[in-house]
Amino acid sequence: ILNVEQSPQSLHVQEGDSTNFTCSFPSSNFYALHWYRWETAKSPEALFVMTLNGDEKKKGRISATLNTKEGYSYLYIKGSQPEDSATYLCAFIAGNNRKLIWGLGTSLAVNP
Amino acid sequence: DSGVTQTPKHLITATGQRVTLRCSPRSGDLSVYWYQQSLDQGLQFLIQYYNGEERAKGNILERFSAQQFPDLHSELNLSSLELGDSALYFCASSVERGGQETQYFGPGTRLLVL
């Protein structure tokens, strides 16, 4: 059974703090890893698609790294703002069947 | 606005009934995915269609079925509904570029089974 785990489950930070959270996935049969941002009352929005070991992607204050050999990805937010408050989901795609397996997300709340 | 539309936005029905949820993908996207999100669970992948054909199956119950039509819109049919089927149902469409696929989610249909 393929398992994708995200930690922590939830996180509260102050505006201006930098933060990071983890997505762990099976290290074998890797095809891709996706990060999505999901704001309350909206639908998930794609952040990054990562495919290569050592990949680093950046979008504004948000960046992500990927280690396929050990099976983890980190998402970093620099200088958190209240509008960053959302649930951040990762999804692992296995190479053999290309199915997406979703983590349960990390819920981030940024206090002004 | 992702360009993916879903109807209806809300649906209230009774146990034992059957409902149909509709999804229109972004223009040009050939893949449609269906997801269920319950209160106590994360996003559960149900099924994927690509250009009219079923491509991948996830945790979809036998009471549920889906199809993708020639115009690429998709319908998710839920029958013999149970209280536990109350959830938010998302569809997403995707495009693959350079070997990388990004999914664009619709606004979801919130189903309440009473």
Side-chain angles (χ1 to χ4, degrees):
Chain A
I1 295 176
L2 297 177
N3 215 20
V4 175
E5 294 183 359
Q6 291 189 245
S7 62
Q9 191 175 357
S10 64
L11 198 51
H12 291 254
V13 302
Q14 288 298 124
E15 183 175 354
D17 287 351
S18 292
T19 186
N20 66 85
F21 22 93
T22 309
C23 173
S24 301
F25 51 85
S27 55
S28 60
N29 204 20
F30 177 87
Y31 180 75
L33 186 89
H34 292 205
W35 279 100
Y36 284 81
R37 181 171 179 276
W38 192 3
E39 279 183 76
T40 304
K42 294 187 179 178
S43 41
E45 177 191 344
L47 281 175
F48 304 116
V49 176
M50 310 184 80
T51 55
L52 298 174
N53 186 41
D55 246 358
E56 285 190 35
K57 296 268 173 108
K58 190 171 175 178
K59 189 185 277 191
R61 293 178 292 98
I62 305 178
S63 60
T65 61
L66 178 69
N67 183 324
T68 60
K69 292 188 178 188
E70 294 180 45
Y72 65 83
S73 175
Y74 291 138
L75 190 80
Y76 299 91
I77 303 180
K78 187 177 174 183
S80 304
Q81 299 296 308
E83 58 265 29
D84 297 328
S85 299
T87 296
Y88 292 82
L89 295 164
C90 70
F92 165 78
I93 305 173
N96 58 339
N97 59 19
R98 307 290 169 91
K99 288 186 191 180
L100 267 76
I101 302 162
W102 294 81
L104 293 180
T106 291
S107 174
L108 174 68
V110 181
N111 301 317
Chain B
D1 182 1
S2 67
V4 178
T5 59
Q6 286 187 249
T7 55
K9 280 189 182 172
H10 304 275
L11 198 48
I12 302 175
T13 189
T15 54
Q17 295 298 305
R18 174 191 165 96
V19 297
T20 297
L21 312 184
R22 185 188 165 105
C23 170
S24 293
R26 295 185 329 150
S27 176
D29 286 358
L30 299 178
S31 262
V32 171
Y33 296 76
W34 284 99
Y35 294 92
Q36 179 193 59
Q37 198 251 330
S38 308
L39 275 176
D40 57 347
Q41 295 186 9
L43 272 176
Q44 298 289 317
F45 167 64
L46 296 178
I47 198 163
Q48 180 203 0
Y49 278 81
Y50 180 84
N51 203 20
E53 300 284 329
E54 181 185 306
R55 180 176 258 195
K57 221 168 190 175
N59 302 324
I60 188 165
L61 300 172
E62 283 191 16
R63 299 183 284 109
F64 295 1
S65 65
Q67 53 184 326
Q68 187 179 28
F69 295 87
D71 67 353
L72 301 177
H73 91 270
S74 178
E75 291 181 356
L76 179 68
N77 300 297
L78 315 176
S79 60
S80 302
L81 284 167
E82 301 174 0
L83 295 177
D85 297 327
S86 296
L88 190 53
Y89 291 85
F90 283 108
C91 86
S93 71
S94 73
V95 61
E96 190 159 335
R97 287 199 185 94
Q100 297 191 0
E101 182 184 6
T102 298
Q103 292 192 18
Y104 295 86
F105 282 76
T109 292
R110 187 169 292 282
L111 174 67
L112 181 60
V113 183
L114 300 174

